[in-house]
């Protein structure tokens, strides 16, 4: 669905806001560089601060207006690597449309005395009526009312449900299982893929029971790790043997439904294509198992390249070797 700006709604006090943020220490996985998940966390916080600066932070919307803030789409390009202790200056411009709030986000950082654009992102936000903790929506301000939904609504095409027997023995309870034997009904092609199922923990959720966008970002990060391990190119192996690390120039996740605490989450991760042995793009489709069917709740794509660590400050991109080409091409 394409968002059309609704001109009749009263404009917010600040259609564009600015906020300065620093990456969290947790995101410095390799040397001092910040991984894609924590870059997206910064984007999320910048969007939440747009609401805060316009007088309606997420807490007030939940407690007083009876709606939960849900990021249902996030597409991010990383143009320059971020480091721990960077001060990233974000500008967030929001339009209200028929599919929710659409935020255009740009983050800039200083490099060698010059300001460079490091991150760009488009984020879709919906305000989900909280029927679990009250009688319904109360006083949502006029400029946010078009974003209110009874249930999270997809803004992209939704994959079809799949019979749960497509998982074979992969669907298990608890921490779950991983398999490279992916049923054709769960695939879009014949490139390398894995399927992973596990139980959604409470700490991936917000507004009491719904899995939130940060949970899906963590899911995307971990399924990449599992995929590379299953394909004989684990991150630790390439780091130890070649000083290589994966780098992410772009990622996108769109929610197509609601995933709930303690449901079995099934994630299919599949290579879509590789570009001249320099990058590869993979798709992620997440399902929950309900009444004998796999119901899609999120779709996404992520692009990876590889870099060699030059020193404690710098890295440089490399072409894939035979091991990586075999892993992503089969």
């Amino acid at each position: 669905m394409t968002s059309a700006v609704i001109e009749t709604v009263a404009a917010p006090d600040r259609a564009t806001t600015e906020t300065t943020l620093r990456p969290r220490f947790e995101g410095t996985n390799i040397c001092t560089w910040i991984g894609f998940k924590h870059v997206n966390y910064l984007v999320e916080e910048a969007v939440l601060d747009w609401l805060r600066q316009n007088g309606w932070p997420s807490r007030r919307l939940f407690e007083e207006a009876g709606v939960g803030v849900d990021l249902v789409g996030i597409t991010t390009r990383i143009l320059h690597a971020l480091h721990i202790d960077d001060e990233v200056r974000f500008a967030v411009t929001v339009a209200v449309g028929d599919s929710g709030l659409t935020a255009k986000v740009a983050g800039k950082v200083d490099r060698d005395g010059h300001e460079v654009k490091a991150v760009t992102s488009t984020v879709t936000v919906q305000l989900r009526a909280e029927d679990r903790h009250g009688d319904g929506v109360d006083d949502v301000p006029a400029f946010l009312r078009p974003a209110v939904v009874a249930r999270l609504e997809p803004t992209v095409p939704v994959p079809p449900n799949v019979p749960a027997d497509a998982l074979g023995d992969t669907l298990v309870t608890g921490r779950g299982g991983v398999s490279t034997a992916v049923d054709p009904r769960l695939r879009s092609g014949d490139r390398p893929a894995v399927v992973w199922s596990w139980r959604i923990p409470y700490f991936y959720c917000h507004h009491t029971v719904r899995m939130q966008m940060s949970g899906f970002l963590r899911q995307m990060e971990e399924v990449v790790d599992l995929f590379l391990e299953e394909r004989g190119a684990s991150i630790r192996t390439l780091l130890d043997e070649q000083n290589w690390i994966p780098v992410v120039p772009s990622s996108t996740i769109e929610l197509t439904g609601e995933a709930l605490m303690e449901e079995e989450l099934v994630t299919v991760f599949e290579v879509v294509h590789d570009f001249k042995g320099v990058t590869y793009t993979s798709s992620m489709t997440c399902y929950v198992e309900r009444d004998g069917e796999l119901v899609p709740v999120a779709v996404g794509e992520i692009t990876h390249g590889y870099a060699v660590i030059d020193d404690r400050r710098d890295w440089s991109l490399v072409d894939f070797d035979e091991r990586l080409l075999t892993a992503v091409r089969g």
Side-chain angles (χ1 to χ4, degrees), residues 241-264:
E241 296 182 4
Q242 297 169 234
N243 221 23
W244 285 12
I245 56 166
V247 293
V248 176
S250 63
S251 66
T252 184
I253 297 176
E254 302 280 350
L255 274 56
T256 61
E258 296 183 356
L260 305 179
M261 183 192 304
E262 297 184 5
E263 288 189 306
E264 289 295 319

Side-chain angles (χ1 to χ4, degrees), residues 13 49-57 60-61 141 143:
D13 294 334
D49 198 51
W50 183 91
L51 289 167
R52 191 178 296 119
Q53 291 191 43
N54 277 287
W56 284 90
R60 184 182 182 191
L61 283 166
F143 74 94

Side-chain angles (χ1 to χ4, degrees), residues 194-198 219 223 265-269 284-287:
V194 295
V195 57
W196 171 35
S197 72
W198 72 305
Q219 192 75 5
V223 76
L265 185 69
V266 176
T267 300
V268 179
F269 186 81
M284 181 185 80
T285 306
C286 295
Y287 304 84

Side-chain angles (χ1 to χ4, degrees), residues 77-235:
R77 290 187 58 82
I78 301 172
L79 309 175
H80 289 273
L82 296 180
H83 293 248
I84 192 64
D85 297 325
D86 273 339
E87 290 189 349
V88 190
R89 293 174 292 281
F90 284 97
V92 180
T93 301
V94 174
V96 183
D98 56 7
S99 60
L101 308 177
T102 300
K104 297 293 186 181
V105 183
K108 297 181 179 180
V109 68
D110 288 332
R111 289 289 178 264
D112 301 322
H114 301 281
E115 185 177 66
V116 299
K117 185 179 290 185
V119 182
T120 62
S121 188
T122 300
V123 180
T124 304
V125 179
Q126 292 176 354
L127 304 181
R128 206 277 202 187
E130 291 299 336
D131 49 10
R132 174 176 287 266
H133 302 293
D135 296 329
V137 176
D138 294 321
D139 297 324
V140 178
F143 74 94
L144 293 178
R145 285 176 198 158
V148 175
V149 294
R151 290 180 60 84
L152 298 183
E153 298 177 354
T155 60
V156 294
V158 180
N161 292 3
V162 178
D165 62 12
L167 288 174
D169 296 330
T170 305
L171 184 60
V172 294
T173 59
R175 191 64 187 89
V178 182
S179 176
T180 56
V182 184
D183 189 287
R185 290 172 289 180
L186 293 169
R187 303 174 62 113
S188 61
D190 59 0
R191 301 295 293 268
V194 295
V195 57
W196 171 35
S197 72
W198 72 305
R199 175 177 173 272
I200 298 172
Y202 83 91
F203 48 86
Y204 274 36
C205 302
H206 72 166
H207 303 317
T208 310
V209 296
R210 288 195 304 281
M211 185 164 166
Q212 59 178 304
M213 178 59 76
S214 65
F216 286 103
L217 286 165
R218 294 164 76 175
Q219 192 75 5
M220 178 175 274
E221 182 176 56
E222 187 161 357
V223 76
V224 171
D225 179 76
L226 294 171
F227 170 82
L228 292 171
E229 170 71 23
E230 293 294 322
R231 298 296 300 167
S234 80
I235 294 173

Side-chain angles (χ1 to χ4, degrees), residues 34-46 71 74-78 119 121 123 213 217 248 251-253:
I34 302 300
F36 89 98
K37 178 183 68 179
H38 275 262
V39 173
N40 278 295
Y41 285 0
L42 290 173
V43 170
E44 178 182 66
E45 178 55 36
L71 276 67
I74 184 166
T75 297
T76 299
R77 290 187 58 82
I78 301 172
V119 182
S121 188
V123 180
M213 178 59 76
L217 286 165
V248 176
S251 66
T252 184
I253 297 176

